[in-house]
Amino acid sequence: MAKDIHSKAGSALPPYFNIDPDAAMADLDQPTDTARFAEIAEGCTRGRADLASRGLNEEGAKSLRLFSTWEITRYLIPVAQAHFRRVLKANPELPQGRSETEGGAKWFTLDEVLRLRAFFAAQGSKAKNYLPYRPEGLPAKLVAVANFKGGVGKTSTAAHLAMSAALDGYKVLVVDLDSQGSMTSIFGGKVEDEWKTAFPLLARHYGEHLRLENQRRLDRGDAPQPLDESLTAAMEMTAADVIQPTHWPNIDLIGAQLNLYWAEFQIPVWRMAARSWKLWDALTDRLEADGVLDQYDVVFIDTPPALGYLTINGLSAADILLVPMGASFLEFDSTGRFFDMLHSTFASIEEGENLAARALGRPEIGFEWDAVRAVITRYDGAQQGELAGLVQAYMGPTLSPHRQDYTALIGQAGEQVNGIYEADYRDFNRETYARGRETFDETYAAFKRLLNGVWRREELALQAERAAF
């Protein structure tokens, strides 16, 4: 007797056959009007507040967890646990930590860890680097994290690098230029409107330029252009007015929210009114003028997933550019187009500016970055190894050889509205925790090597320049 070679499952039709139009119509809700968007947005706002509140303390603010002796001696201060305990016992004026149970492990705040690190740097072995390398006399390094492909881990990478640098002992400023405000949410920022974002800094830069232009107009006998109320208000503001502390003692934030997107419409209006205004210098000039680059070690700039005016400000301000990307054809293709747009955009600015500079006998301009690296994120070695190797071959040294793995810890930390370094290892299997943070530690190590190399090159150049005089 012949067998039926089609199983019951195998003979079933695909789900897109035999759809009943009447049943499909019954599933529909009413047509959506404009007001419905507000209802959807309001529901999302409630949900976002609910999820975010899970990472808040009793006062409704984010707080950073404590760090155990095990973590401190393994990840933060390079000493043996026994020696660490002996030093604390011999120096009762140092932070002693707190135990949750009688005779239990000691736990410390990050502030206390930073004090302990400073003590070991002053009193400990000179053969160990207790403090991160930071040459004197040089300003902070600005690091832009950018790509116009969404979903590549851009904000997550920037946030974790900022946290890594803070744990390493650097003083960090995070600048959120993305009006979605994801970075701001990660660090618990409160931003009521655009006047607590980077917008006033850009507006002041334009306002100061307009005042100089108006003086030239008056000198020529021409009528000045008026400064509107917003520009007048911005002229009274500095970076200190928009920088806010976070739950990390050595990370501060310039936050973002939806109104920041207005800058994408306002900046071209300013540019049309004053073609000589160098909008790409706005963020850098204001941070420098307000002393920000002397107050911090590293400034991380999270840019929007588009090559607009805010992104141009962030990219042109940066000394180091990091481009997160996935190991897939579409993300490789998109990243290649992103670099092509970077070339077109900045080459166009250089061409336009230098055409005028040559005509006026002024020095020409040229954009330059100390280092540019693409970083593969959310990497699955079992499935993406071959394509990652191919991408490495085509991108060469621009692509960092380190690939940031996706682990269970990353997903679980995200569900708890925390960064990897904010997650308490007791919520996980310790091996899972160590493996999960290892990939981010390696990402930071690759970045820190880049940062230290750039600083060292500048330090040696500065020493040579001083020696010449």
Side-chain angles (χ1 to χ4, degrees):
M1 183 171 118
K3 283 187 178 181
D4 183 359
I5 62 172
H6 299 290
S7 67
K8 185 176 180 182
S11 62
L13 290 173
Y16 48 81
F17 280 102
N18 299 328
I19 293 176
D20 182 355
D22 288 323
M25 181 183 68
D27 290 339
L28 291 176
D29 51 8
Q30 293 300 311
T32 299
D33 58 12
T34 305
R36 176 60 182 149
F37 288 139
E39 295 174 6
I40 297 171
E42 198 274 333
C44 291
T45 298
R46 292 199 310 272
R48 184 168 61 246
D50 174 41
L51 290 172
S53 68
R54 301 179 188 184
L56 304 183
N57 58 23
E58 296 177 355
E59 287 74 40
K62 293 197 80 170
S63 59
L64 188 60
R65 66 179 180 86
L66 302 178
F67 296 83
S68 71
T69 301
W70 171 77
E71 280 184 284
I72 293 170
T73 55
R74 174 164 179 169
Y75 295 112
L76 304 179
I77 303 177
V79 295
Q81 285 194 51
H83 178 61
F84 181 79
R85 293 191 183 99
R86 284 196 299 269
V87 169
L88 294 190
K89 187 175 182 179
N91 297 274
E93 75 280 3
L94 291 176
Q96 298 296 310
R98 56 200 59 76
S99 297
E100 296 179 347
T101 59
E102 184 69 28
K106 292 289 187 69
W107 295 79
F108 300 78
T109 67
L110 183 55
D111 254 330
E112 291 172 334
V113 173
L114 296 174
R115 286 176 56 195
L116 291 169
R117 178 186 275 128
F119 177 84
F120 278 99
Q123 305 293 331
S125 169
K126 301 304 178 185
K128 292 184 177 180
N129 296 321
Y130 294 103
L131 297 177
Y133 171 66
R134 173 71 165 93
E136 294 183 9
L138 292 176
K141 281 298 172 188
L142 289 88
V143 183
V145 184
N147 198 334
F148 60 31
K149 179 76 171 69
V152 296
K154 176 179 61 65
T155 298
S156 174
T157 298
H160 283 101
L161 285 175
M163 294 176 188
S164 298
L167 290 173
D168 200 20
Y170 287 119
K171 185 164 178 56
V172 176
L173 175 66
V174 174
V175 181
D176 192 353
L177 293 182
D178 188 348
S179 58
Q180 296 177 87
S182 299
M183 180 71 87
T184 302
S185 295
I186 288 172
F187 286 103
K190 305 295 182 183
V191 184
E192 296 178 0
D193 54 35
E194 68 272 24
W195 291 99
K196 287 298 182 181
T197 71
F199 176 77
L201 305 184
L202 307 182
R204 177 168 179 172
H205 190 269
Y206 171 71
E208 290 179 341
H209 174 82
L210 194 58
R211 277 186 176 176
L212 291 174
E213 282 295 300
N214 281 341
Q215 187 57 56
R216 295 188 185 101
R217 285 172 175 268
L218 290 171
D219 293 342
R220 296 195 303 265
D222 297 333
Q225 294 189 56
L227 271 72
D228 59 31
E229 289 184 9
S230 62
L231 287 177
T232 302
M235 295 293 284
E236 303 300 320
M237 297 183 67
T238 67
D241 296 312
V242 296
I243 292 175
Q244 56 180 293
T246 72
H247 57 295
W248 287 70
N250 52 345
I251 299 180
D252 290 337
L253 170 73
I254 297 179
Q257 57 104 258
L258 192 59
N259 288 1
L260 177 58
Y261 193 70
W262 174 246
E264 297 289 355
F265 300 96
Q266 186 60 62
I267 288 175
V269 172
W270 293 338
R271 178 72 171 154
M272 289 297 293
R275 299 292 297 179
S276 56
W277 175 51
K278 294 176 172 55
L279 67 94
W280 47 87
D281 287 339
L283 184 61
T284 319
D285 287 351
R286 286 313 316 160
L287 292 178
E288 183 176 12
D290 292 339
V292 171
L293 303 188
D294 296 323
Q295 298 166 18
Y296 297 89
D297 299 312
V298 191
V299 179
F300 288 98
I301 304 171
D302 187 37
T303 63
L307 197 52
Y309 291 105
L310 289 169
T311 301
I312 288 174
N313 260 281
L315 294 175
S316 57
D319 302 297
I320 297 173
L321 170 59
L322 300 179
V323 182
M325 60 178 289
S328 73
F329 168 77
L330 291 179
E331 290 175 278
F332 178 39
D333 179 55
S334 176
T335 299
R337 296 177 192 277
F338 176 68
F339 279 111
D340 188 40
M341 285 191 67
L342 290 183
H343 169 259
S344 300
T345 300
F346 288 102
S348 175
I349 294 172
E350 289 174 348
E351 182 180 358
E353 288 296 301
N354 292 336
L355 185 65
R358 286 191 292 271
L360 297 171
R362 295 175 180 169
E364 297 185 13
I365 71 163
F367 292 96
E368 186 175 82
W369 290 263
D370 292 324
V372 174
R373 290 290 184 275
V375 183
I376 289 180
T377 59
R378 303 173 184 268
Y379 178 66
D380 182 348
Q383 299 187 36
Q384 299 176 322
E386 183 178 353
L387 183 56
L390 184 67
V391 172
Q392 187 81 61
Y394 280 107
M395 296 191 72
T398 299
L399 180 63
S400 170
H402 166 66
R403 297 159 190 176
Q404 189 180 98
D405 296 323
Y406 187 86
T407 69
L409 177 63
I410 295 173
Q412 292 178 58
E415 290 173 6
Q416 296 172 15
V417 202
N418 281 322
I420 298 301
Y421 297 113
E422 295 176 318
D424 190 325
Y425 69 84
R426 292 172 296 179
D427 294 335
F428 310 90
N429 173 286
R430 186 178 286 195
E431 183 180 338
T432 301
Y433 175 82
R435 187 171 61 252
R437 68 167 286 164
E438 182 180 357
T439 187
F440 280 92
D441 287 345
E442 290 175 351
T443 300
Y444 175 64
F447 164 74
K448 186 179 177 183
R449 185 177 182 86
L450 209 62
L451 175 69
N452 285 186
V454 166
W455 258 331
R456 182 59 174 161
R457 184 168 61 191
E458 287 192 9
E459 184 180 31
L460 291 176
L462 184 61
Q463 290 173 0
E465 183 180 333
R466 288 171 176 170
F469 290 94

